[in-house]
């Protein structure tokens, strides 16, 4: 059924080509891609109109979660702008260091990693990109950088959710304690190899592509400081993944990295003597700018502590809500996800796999909205300032809504056009045929393809967790068939799913919405495709070396 794999790829390839090559906005590309998937599902997968409608509505329902996150992140940013807190926060970052390169590292790499570690699910780019833009970084560059850095922390993001998902997919008979710890280690190794240099990469991107001088020289000047930031994240990250487990590598790496980097910046340790600043807006290329004028920041003499209270509250709420602490026999997360407070529907038109639960109390976006409302009181905002913040938020969210809805409707059609069970008989889903077509090769080639399958899953679904849900069993079964170590192949899936976050349409749309660069999603995907491929190449290279040294065959024991 090789032709079904080719057909299944068409909606995805179409979406990538028209966005990256022809600069179609996501709000146009995704509806057409969804329509193609529906047509192919009807003709080649025998899906009836009722099922196509039900899965599309299911995508609409699932988009509520993403839109709440986007809305909350934008509302927090606009509220802080109108209260005067953002002006104070900007001055605070400048007091740490007036150097735009250091600000890019602290916010673009470490703050993004912390947000991913605590919450995940679209939160990092949505919160960090506008913060970086408010410091003077061109909006398009802020979105690009936030997305590039929302990778290394992803595999262990949201308190280890992606790895936990893979373990749950395999079951306790396969995912023993030894297997799980080995999976944690091998998921961390490729990320450490890249994250050590990621701060330098994002500074290089800003200096070369989003500055007046368009040169790598300023990035090279700050290379020692960049490496300090990378190592202060990656060393504790690897140690925790190796000796503690998969829940806390990202959060420890990000927190320790933030402390070390901020202290070093304030002390001037490894900081270049010559300061570098973001280019003045008069020197920006038109493509770097927001697609419309944003609400300006209100000048303020607010104290730094008071200005940071909203972000502090967000951090506390995200971390506490995701800690594996039992309260009354349930974790806090379990209480927040409880059916008692979460409205749900069992199915749409009685079609299987279309149920939906609005876990509003657990969604990070709800916490953002709650904090934004508290900020109105804490910062004693005036009525016109509140109205302006809400009005601006509505305009920005409206630009992303169409893309998000049709993007998730497309995902549902791809996922449920057939079975995703490795051992099931009959027609498989479109997404399964895509992965299966990539996996029918020999050992060396499969090692090169395994992370690409993870990339594909994240690009299509917008989530490392969903990618792992779809493909963990396929990857493990392929490893078994080829005589390869299952823990390493599943680790490649976990890492690939994280790398795919750089270019996944949902995250790109969210980041663009928060800095009002809607319609430029294709340009971002085109730019981020290069670091995505390079990151994936590093992952492949590491595991190919292990394969060629004979340590990747099933039954071998290395670091387990």
């Amino acid at each position: 059924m090789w032709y079904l794999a080719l057909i299944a790829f068409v909606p995805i390839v179409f979406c990538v080509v028209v966005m990256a090559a022809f600069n179609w906005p996501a709000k146009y590309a995704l509806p057409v891609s969804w329509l193609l998937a529906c047509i192919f599902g009807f003709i080649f997968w025998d899906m009836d109109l009722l099922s196509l409608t039900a899965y599309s509505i299911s995508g609409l329902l699932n988009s509520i979660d993403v839109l709440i996150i986007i809305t909350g992140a934008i509302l927090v940013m606009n509220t802080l702008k109108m209260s005067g807190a953002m002006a104070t926060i900007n001055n605070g970052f400048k007091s740490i260091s007036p150097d735009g390169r250091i600000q890019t590292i602290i916010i673009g790499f470490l703050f993004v990693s912390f947000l991913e570690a605590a919450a995940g699910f679209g939160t990092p780019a949505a919160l960090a990109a506008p913060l970086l833009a408010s410091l003077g970084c061109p909006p398009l560059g802020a979105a690009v950088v936030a997305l590039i850095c929302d990778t290394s922390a992803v595999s262990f993001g949201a308190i280890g959710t992606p790895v936990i998902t893979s373990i749950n997919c395999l079951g306790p008979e396969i995912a023993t304690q030894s297997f799980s710890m080995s999976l944690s280690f091998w998921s961390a190794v490729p990320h450490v190899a890249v994250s050590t240099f990621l701060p330098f990469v994002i500074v290089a991107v800003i200096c070369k592509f989003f500055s007046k001088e368009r040169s790598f020289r300023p990035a090279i000047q700050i290379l020692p400081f960049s490496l300090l930031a990378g190592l202060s994240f990656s060393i504790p990250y690897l140690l925790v993944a190796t000796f503690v487990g998969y829940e806390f590598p990202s959060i420890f790496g990000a927190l320790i990295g933030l402390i070390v980097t901020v202290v070093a910046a304030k002390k001037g340790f490894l900081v270049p003597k010559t300061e570098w600043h973001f280019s003045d807006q008069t020197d920006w290329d038109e493509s770097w700018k927001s697609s419309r004028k944003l609400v300006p920041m209100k000048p303020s003499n607010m104290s730094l502590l008071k200005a940071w209270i909203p972000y502090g509250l967000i951090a506390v709420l995200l971390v506490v809500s995701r800690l594996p602490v039992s309260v009354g026999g349930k974790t806090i997360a379990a209480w927040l996800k409880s059916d008692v407070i979460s409205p749900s529907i069992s199915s749409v038109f009685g079609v299987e796999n279309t149920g939906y639960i609005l876990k509003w109390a657990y969604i990070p976006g709800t916490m953002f909205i709650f904090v934004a409302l508290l900020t109105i009181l804490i910062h004693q905002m005036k009525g016109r300032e509140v109205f302006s913040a809400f009005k601006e938020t509505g305009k920005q969210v409206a630009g992303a809504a169409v893309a998000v809805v049709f993007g998730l409707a497309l995902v549902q059609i791809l996922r449920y056009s057939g079975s995703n069970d490795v051992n099931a008989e009959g027609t498989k889903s479109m997404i399964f045929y895509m992965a299966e077509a990539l996996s029918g090769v020999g050992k060396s080639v499969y090692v090169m393809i395994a992370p690409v399958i993870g990339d594909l899953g994240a690009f299509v679904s917008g989530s490392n967790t969903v990618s792992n849900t779809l493909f963990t069993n396929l990857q493990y079964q392929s490893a078994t068939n080829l005589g390869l170590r299952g823990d390493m192949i599943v680790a490649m899936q976990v890492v690939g799913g994280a790398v795919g976050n750089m270019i996944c349409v949902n995250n790109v749309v969210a980041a663009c919405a928060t800095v009002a660069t809607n319609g430029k999603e294709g340009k971002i995907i085109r730019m981020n495709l290069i670091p995505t491929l390079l990151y994936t190449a590093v992952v492949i290279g590491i595991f190919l070396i292990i394969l060629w040294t004979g340590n990747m065959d099933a039954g071998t024991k290395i670091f387990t």
Side-chain angles (χ1 to χ4, degrees):
M1 293 278 194
W2 59 269
Y3 68 91
L4 288 178
L6 292 177
I7 294 169
F9 270 110
V10 171
I12 302 300
V13 172
F14 172 84
C15 184
V16 174
V17 170
V18 297
M19 288 180 66
F22 297 101
N23 292 318
W24 278 33
K27 64 181 180 181
Y28 299 140
L30 285 166
V32 177
S33 297
W34 163 80
L35 181 60
L36 287 173
C38 288
I39 292 170
F40 295 153
F42 182 78
I43 296 174
F44 298 102
W45 273 263
D46 296 324
M47 297 180 74
D48 54 41
L49 292 177
L50 182 67
S51 295
L52 289 169
T53 303
Y55 288 126
S56 298
I57 293 174
S58 176
L60 168 63
L61 292 172
N62 281 282
S63 71
I64 294 172
D65 297 38
V66 180
L67 289 173
I68 289 175
I69 291 174
I70 295 173
T71 301
I74 295 174
L75 183 60
V76 167
M77 181 55 56
N78 286 328
T79 302
L80 293 178
K81 277 185 179 181
M82 295 309 302
S83 74
M86 190 51 61
T88 298
I89 289 172
N90 286 354
N91 291 332
F93 274 114
K94 290 173 184 175
S95 71
I96 294 173
S97 174
D99 195 306
R101 296 166 297 185
I102 293 175
Q103 293 166 2
T104 299
I105 291 170
I106 292 173
I107 299 172
F109 176 61
L110 293 166
F111 187 53
V112 162
S113 296
F114 172 76
L115 291 172
E116 179 60 47
F121 300 103
T123 303
L127 277 177
L131 184 57
L132 197 55
S134 70
L135 285 165
C137 181
L140 191 72
V144 166
V145 161
L147 288 163
I148 289 174
C149 287
D150 192 17
T151 45
S152 297
V154 170
S155 291
F156 304 105
I159 317 297
T161 298
V163 174
I164 292 170
T165 299
S166 286
I167 289 170
N168 290 340
C169 286
L170 293 171
E173 67 280 357
I174 295 174
T176 61
Q177 177 67 15
S178 175
F179 181 100
S180 299
M181 289 302 294
S182 182
L183 175 61
S184 177
F185 174 79
W186 288 112
S187 296
V189 169
H191 283 314
V192 168
V194 177
S195 64
T196 301
F197 301 96
L198 209 51
F200 170 74
V201 170
I202 60 171
V203 172
V205 167
I206 292 296
C207 293
K208 178 63 177 177
F209 301 105
F210 296 101
S211 70
K212 182 180 179 180
E213 61 263 50
R214 294 178 184 261
S215 169
F216 286 124
R217 183 174 297 175
I220 294 171
Q221 291 170 350
I222 204 167
L223 177 58
F225 186 88
S226 300
L227 290 175
L228 173 68
L231 288 169
S232 66
F233 169 85
S234 60
I235 291 174
Y237 176 96
L238 180 61
L239 290 174
V240 173
T242 304
F243 299 108
V244 179
Y246 42 78
E247 290 95 345
F248 299 110
S250 293
I251 202 161
F252 272 92
L255 284 174
I256 292 172
L258 274 168
I259 293 169
V260 170
T261 305
V262 168
V263 170
K266 289 186 75 68
K267 296 291 185 181
F269 181 65
L270 298 179
V271 175
K273 293 181 179 179
T274 304
E275 287 182 8
W276 182 89
H277 302 279
F278 296 114
S279 298
D280 188 87
Q281 291 190 31
T282 56
D283 296 319
W284 289 0
D285 185 272
E286 279 301 314
S287 66
W288 304 351
K289 300 177 181 179
S290 298
S291 51
R292 60 184 187 77
K293 190 174 181 179
L294 298 175
V295 173
M297 283 185 291
K298 173 188 172 183
S300 171
N301 293 320
M302 185 184 297
S303 71
L304 190 60
L305 176 61
K306 188 175 181 180
W308 268 102
I309 286 176
Y311 279 120
L313 288 173
I314 288 173
V316 170
L317 288 172
L318 290 174
V319 172
V320 170
S321 65
R322 281 144 177 83
L323 286 174
V325 177
S326 181
V327 179
K330 289 184 179 180
T331 62
I332 298 172
W335 283 112
L336 295 176
K337 296 177 183 178
S338 172
D339 294 342
V340 177
I341 62 172
S342 301
S344 65
I345 60 171
S346 57
S347 66
V348 178
F349 305 142
V351 175
E352 189 178 0
N353 296 316
T354 56
Y356 173 71
I357 303 175
L358 178 57
K359 301 171 185 174
W360 62 272
Y362 184 75
I363 297 171
T366 304
M367 300 174 196
F368 300 162
I369 294 172
F370 174 69
V371 169
L373 295 175
L374 279 181
T375 300
I376 295 171
L377 300 176
I378 295 169
H379 291 174
Q380 300 174 322
M381 294 176 66
K382 297 177 181 178
R384 68 175 185 277
E385 295 169 345
V386 175
F387 176 76
S388 180
F390 275 83
K391 181 181 178 181
E392 182 69 12
T393 299
K395 290 179 180 178
Q396 289 179 255
V397 173
V402 172
V404 172
V405 168
F406 279 97
L408 286 169
L410 169 64
V411 170
Q412 295 300 89
I413 299 295
L414 295 176
R415 287 182 67 182
Y416 297 116
S417 46
S419 173
N420 285 303
D421 188 345
V422 174
N423 300 311
E425 296 181 0
T427 305
K428 303 289 197 304
S429 70
M430 294 185 197
I431 203 164
F432 193 96
Y433 277 117
M434 285 188 268
E436 196 171 48
L438 294 173
S439 67
V441 292
K443 285 186 178 182
S444 294
V445 178
Y446 188 76
V447 169
M448 292 192 291
I449 287 175
V452 177
I453 294 174
D455 287 348
L456 174 67
F459 173 79
V460 172
S461 68
S463 166
N464 191 179
T465 298
V466 175
S467 179
N468 292 349
T469 300
L470 289 171
F471 297 139
T472 291
N473 283 310
L474 172 68
Q475 296 269 30
Y476 185 83
Q477 187 64 48
S478 297
T480 301
N481 295 341
L482 292 167
L484 295 170
R485 282 187 55 170
D487 55 340
M488 289 190 180
I489 294 298
V490 174
M492 295 180 79
Q493 160 63 38
V494 171
V495 176
V499 176
N501 267 262
M502 259 192 263
I503 54 171
C504 80
V505 178
N506 287 346
N507 285 359
V508 173
V509 169
C512 285
T514 58
V515 290
T517 54
N518 309 77
K520 300 175 183 178
E521 297 91 352
K523 185 176 179 66
I524 290 179
I525 289 175
R526 192 163 59 245
M527 288 194 69
N528 282 7
L529 186 60
I530 294 174
T532 299
L533 294 174
L534 290 173
Y535 206 134
T536 304
V538 172
V539 178
I540 292 169
I542 289 171
F543 284 100
L544 277 178
I545 292 171
I546 297 170
L547 175 69
W548 293 336
T549 56
N551 289 310
M552 200 166 174
D553 293 336
T556 56
K557 300 291 181 182
I558 177 173
F559 296 109
T560 56

